[in-house]
Amino acid sequence: MSLKAKSLKGAFFNLSANGAGQLVNFVVYAIMARILGVEEFGLVAICLMVTDFCNLFVTVGVSQNLIQRKEWDNNFASLSFWFLMGVSLVIAILMFAVAVPVAWYTYSELAAQLIAALAIIPLANGLRLVHKAKMERDFANKRLAAYDTAGVLVGGVVSVATALTGFGAWAIIFGKVVQAFVSTALTWHGSDFRPGKVEDKSHLPEIIHFAKPLIAMSFMNFFSQRTSNIVIAAFLGAATFAYTSVARQGFSVLNNLTFQPLNRIALAGLARVEDDKLPATFARVVSMTAIFVTPVYFGVGAIAHPFIDVVFGDKWTDSAYLLSILALQTPCNVMAYYLPNLLIARGLPAQAFKLNLINLTFNFLFPLAAVPWGLYAVITALVIANFVTLVLKFMLVKKSLNITLTDAFRETWMFTLTGTAMFCVVLYVERNHLLGLDNVFLELPALVGLGALIYCGSLLLFFRKKTLAIAKEFKSGKKKKKV
């Protein structure tokens, strides 16, 4: 099998594992949301966000360096392993020394205890990453995918089982810790790498030099994506944060199942296309994304109330309103999603960093300014910030790649218009109970069917030529793959 074929096969298994893991996590998340109280659930979500931040120091940089090196060097890998163990141990100690006391004084004793228990996860990740990198170099992606999925499944079962037996917030923590250790143990078993004693430490500066910019970029991504969450957690409390967390969970799964796979496929072509053809190619990729992603995101926002009721329970009704508001940022997500990675792929990391800085600034300032007016105002401010940053992002990208907002809008406006019309009609029908269905399990599929009929029918009726052209492009792409 050729290197290209192995790479594609590996990417397929990575995406499959990610998709399976996301679905399992979503099911477990929904079950836990039904079992736990709102305050308790929000507290756990905050603790997990703190752990995700601390994990950045461990999971970014070192393994990427091992994967991209021309040849595998056991001495270099061993040095990387012990370096990661040192970093992960420092992170665990800092979580105890800093995060635990802060949680104790700002939230509760329970929050401090939960973070203390979660401090073991960076250590588990540090144990695993070099072995995982070796397996990825050996194209053992199928086994890695199985190990990741097994960890998610076992951890999910532990969470649900312990929640049902009355462990409350601790149930999610038990599941996350078990998931980390199961994945680590299986990866150690599946990898042929074993760390040894390191005599030569001359490569240590290279490891640090390679990791620093990647960690800085990951920090920027983390905060730019979670600034509104941080504002809500800091100023509005755990219960309010819980409603936001539930609302965003659905979009998080959709993102991982739609944008992320499309992003990996699209960037492979966008990174290699000639400069003069890049704007046209980008416009084509965005239009092919918009036709499928737009109705999914707007659709979830339109059926938010029955969807939240069925999946999470009626105590999360406030999350449904937030979900509907968040759906309004769909056009921004579609047009701007590829920009940061596209800049990196074209050798422009500094510009990509500036994009993330724009995100971070506006996604922090707008929600922060809206705090006095409550949760709905904060989420609305976040949506407005997305539209403002959309303009600024394309202004920045235009200077380097000659890709403009006008190009992206020209290729997506018809899908935005059709998706918005579908969103408004379905939301109106649902809110006014025009279908006359008292059973939510009948109402939900009926609303989905109505939305699909409106969206597809409108495209074929008003934008038939554009729709068929995109369909033809998908068909031609499949034929090329077969050849």
Side-chain angles (χ1 to χ4, degrees), residues 143-164:
R143 280 188 291 148
L144 266 178
Y147 299 158
D148 289 337
T149 304
V152 172
L153 281 171
V154 175
V157 170
V158 168
S159 287
V160 174
T162 51
L164 291 174

Side-chain angles (χ1 to χ4, degrees), residues 332-348:
C332 301
N333 292 339
V334 169
M335 287 187 278
Y337 183 81
Y338 299 113
L339 295 180
N341 287 332
L342 174 59
L343 287 168
I344 293 172
R346 304 293 293 194
L348 300 165

Side-chain angles (χ1 to χ4, degrees), residues 385-397:
N386 270 269
F387 280 94
V388 173
T389 56
L390 179 68
V391 177
L392 297 176
K393 288 174 185 176
F394 274 96
M395 287 174 63
L396 178 64
V397 171

Side-chain angles (χ1 to χ4, degrees), residues 137-439:
R137 281 183 64 98
D138 295 338
F139 298 102
N141 300 83
K142 186 175 182 180
R143 280 188 291 148
L144 266 178
Y147 299 158
D148 289 337
T149 304
V152 172
L153 281 171
V154 175
V157 170
V158 168
S159 287
V160 174
T162 51
L164 291 174
T165 51
F167 281 89
W170 282 101
I172 297 179
I173 308 304
F174 292 152
K176 291 295 182 183
V177 172
V178 168
Q179 175 184 334
F181 276 97
V182 167
S183 299
T184 298
L186 290 174
T187 305
W188 265 69
H189 173 75
S191 172
D192 59 7
F193 167 73
R194 293 295 179 266
K197 185 178 179 181
V198 177
E199 301 291 345
D200 181 12
K201 300 178 182 177
S202 61
H203 290 295
L204 191 58
E206 177 193 334
I207 294 172
I208 297 172
H209 178 74
F210 187 91
K212 282 198 305 186
L214 292 178
I215 291 174
M217 186 69 72
S218 296
F219 279 0
M220 191 64 68
N221 286 334
F222 179 89
F223 285 111
S224 65
Q225 292 170 8
R226 292 176 172 84
T227 44
S228 61
N229 287 2
I230 295 169
V231 168
I232 291 167
F235 294 99
L236 299 179
T240 306
F241 182 81
Y243 290 117
T244 308
S245 179
V246 167
R248 301 190 78 158
Q249 182 65 21
F251 283 135
S252 176
V253 173
L254 288 177
N255 178 70
N256 286 306
L257 295 178
T258 56
F259 274 123
Q260 283 194 8
L262 289 169
N263 188 44
R264 296 188 187 188
I265 296 169
L267 288 180
L270 288 170
R272 294 169 175 81
V273 71
E274 296 175 11
D275 289 343
D276 60 328
K277 297 179 180 178
L278 183 61
T281 305
F282 177 80
R284 226 170 38 246
V285 168
V286 169
S287 67
M288 293 170 72
T289 302
I291 193 172
F292 292 111
V293 173
T294 299
V296 174
Y297 278 73
F298 270 128
V300 170
I303 62 169
H305 284 81
F307 172 76
I308 292 291
D309 191 17
V310 168
V311 177
F312 298 105
D314 56 9
K315 68 182 176 185
W316 297 100
T317 300
D318 284 352
S319 297
Y321 291 104
L322 300 178
L323 194 59
S324 295
I325 296 171
L326 285 170
L328 298 176
Q329 64 187 356
T330 299
C332 301
N333 292 339
V334 169
M335 287 187 278
Y337 183 81
Y338 299 113
L339 295 180
N341 287 332
L342 174 59
L343 287 168
I344 293 172
R346 304 293 293 194
L348 300 165
Q351 285 82 344
F353 183 82
K354 289 178 182 178
L355 282 187
N356 287 324
L357 187 60
I358 290 171
N359 256 347
L360 174 61
T361 302
F362 285 85
N363 288 354
F364 176 74
L365 292 178
F366 277 45
L368 182 64
V371 165
W373 291 274
L375 178 58
Y376 295 128
V378 169
I379 298 300
T380 302
L382 177 64
V383 173
I384 295 171
N386 270 269
F387 280 94
V388 173
T389 56
L390 179 68
V391 177
L392 297 176
K393 288 174 185 176
F394 274 96
M395 287 174 63
L396 178 64
V397 171
K398 183 182 178 182
K399 296 177 181 178
S400 304
L401 299 178
N402 197 32
I403 292 174
T404 67
L405 177 57
T406 303
D407 295 331
F409 181 77
R410 187 187 300 116
E411 294 295 325
T412 59
W413 71 268
M414 65 289 295
F415 308 119
T416 298
L417 179 63
T418 308
T420 304
M422 177 199 69
F423 172 81
C424 294
V425 171
V426 174
L427 187 63
Y428 180 81
V429 169
E430 188 276 321
R431 288 287 77 199
N432 291 279
H433 306 288
L434 299 182
L435 294 179
L437 297 172
D438 295 328
N439 189 325

